[in-house]
Each structure stands twice: as structure tokens, then as C-alpha cells.
Amino acid sequence: MLFRQERIGKGGVPFDILKLKTMPGQDHSGENEAGGSEHSEASLLSKFCRKSAADELPQCINVILGNLHLVGVRPQTPITLEQRQHADPVLYEDWFWWATLNPGVVGPGQGLAHVHQGAYTESSELVKKVMRADVNYCEKASLKQDIACIATTPIPVVRGLYNMLRSKRAENGVNVENKSSTI
């Protein structure tokens, strides 16, 4: 099911981002998404959509409408903006400036967040790492860097899918300890 979720975009102006509803209770505020694909009520299909980033595909419409760039800082909900501000108020000022100047579907911070999905807390080191990655990307923005970001985006997606399938096999009693990982 397609739904809209409020995000803060260019110039700090709210807009509706398009998403696929993959979690029970998911709403436009972003408040009911705690746990992401690790949520206890997530179905295998929901986990697959989240880990494969298939739930992000409707955002191509936001790119066409001009709300998002293809590459940039991931626009946040008002709730997640508060988390980022509490995590590091000084870093947040730089990050927010770039986030409202260059919001995008994919970016370096998005890749970090995708690998560690569900690991956010208000004071999380991950939140700080994501903000630093986004600021560093924006300060050195170039076409070469954008192409590299787009080219490397599938890596955390594939890694997340691999880990999901590996844990599912472990739940089903299949021995996965002796298998070596090439991802």
C-alpha cells in the first residue's frame, strides 16, 4: 500500500514523501516505525521490502516532482530531526543546513543507516556517524562522488538481504556458522 509521510525538505519546508507501507501501524508521522525490519510484527515480505529498499521506489516520483535529488541527504520526519538535534546539537546545525539544501533519495548517511537499521536512539553514535557522513559528502560534492554513491548503494542493500536470509535459515535450524561470508 502506498502512503505519504511528512518529511522536511528543501529550505526546511515540509513535503509528503511517498513510501510503501511495510509495517503494521506505520503512519505519516514516522513515530510508529521503531525497529524497522527487525520489528516483531514484520512479515517476511515486509522485511524483504525494507532490506532490499523496495519500499523506497515510490520516491522516484518525489524526484520527478522536484522534492528530492537522486543523491543527497535523507530528508527526515520532524520526530527524527529531534533525535538528531539531541544526539549532537553542534553537528546538527551543519547537517540540517545541508539537509535542507540537498535532500535526496540515496546518500552516504543512508547507506550507514541501512546497514544498522533499527539501531537509532536519541544519543546514538550511529546518528552522529550518519550526520558526519552526510556533511562530509555535501562539503565535497561532485559528479564523481554522486556516481560512486549510486554505484555503492546496492552494497548495504545486498548485505542486509544476505543477513536477513542467513538469520532466517538459522531460525529454521539450518547450520550457518561454518559458512564463510563473501559479502
Side-chain angles (χ1 to χ4, degrees):
M1 169 191 277
L2 192 64
F3 78 107
R4 297 170 186 265
Q5 187 178 66
E6 182 182 48
R7 298 291 177 103
I8 306 302
K10 291 179 185 174
V13 176
F15 74 100
D16 288 337
I17 200 168
L18 299 172
K19 296 185 59 117
L20 286 178
K21 183 174 180 171
T22 57
M23 300 298 301
Q26 196 173 21
D27 66 12
H28 78 280
S29 71
E31 187 171 7
N32 295 324
E33 290 190 72
S37 61
E38 304 307 321
H39 193 282
S40 62
E41 295 179 35
S43 69
L44 188 57
L45 180 60
S46 292
K47 289 180 182 184
F48 176 81
C49 285
R50 299 281 284 212
K51 292 287 186 179
S52 69
D55 62 330
E56 309 290 346
L57 289 175
Q59 292 169 34
C60 292
I61 296 169
N62 288 109
V63 173
I64 292 167
L65 293 174
N67 297 322
L68 294 174
H69 297 280
L70 189 56
V71 181
V73 177
R74 183 81 175 148
Q76 301 295 308
T77 65
I79 292 166
T80 55
L81 282 177
E82 286 180 32
Q83 288 178 338
R84 289 170 189 268
Q85 191 169 24
H86 285 100
D88 189 327
V90 174
L91 177 59
Y92 174 82
E93 292 301 319
D94 282 345
W95 175 87
F96 185 75
W97 187 79
W98 285 112
T100 59
L101 183 66
N102 186 32
V105 177
V106 298
Q110 175 78 357
L112 279 173
H114 196 78
V115 170
H116 302 285
Q117 195 168 11
Y120 283 107
T121 64
E122 281 187 13
S123 61
S124 169
E125 283 302 311
L126 177 58
V127 171
K128 295 175 192 176
K129 284 180 185 178
V130 167
M131 287 194 297
R132 278 189 208 103
D134 285 337
V135 169
N136 288 337
Y137 157 78
C138 289
E139 288 176 345
K140 300 171 186 169
S142 68
L143 180 59
K144 181 179 175 182
Q145 189 175 351
D146 285 357
I147 292 168
C149 190
I150 291 168
T152 58
T153 293
I155 294 169
V157 170
V158 169
R159 191 175 290 137
L161 284 170
Y162 173 79
N163 290 335
M164 181 190 80
L165 293 172
R166 187 177 166 99
S167 67
K168 190 67 177 167
R169 288 184 71 193
E171 286 174 18
N172 292 333
V174 176
N175 184 4
V176 292
E177 288 182 28
N178 295 327
K179 308 277 188 215
S180 64
S181 172
T182 59
I183 295 181

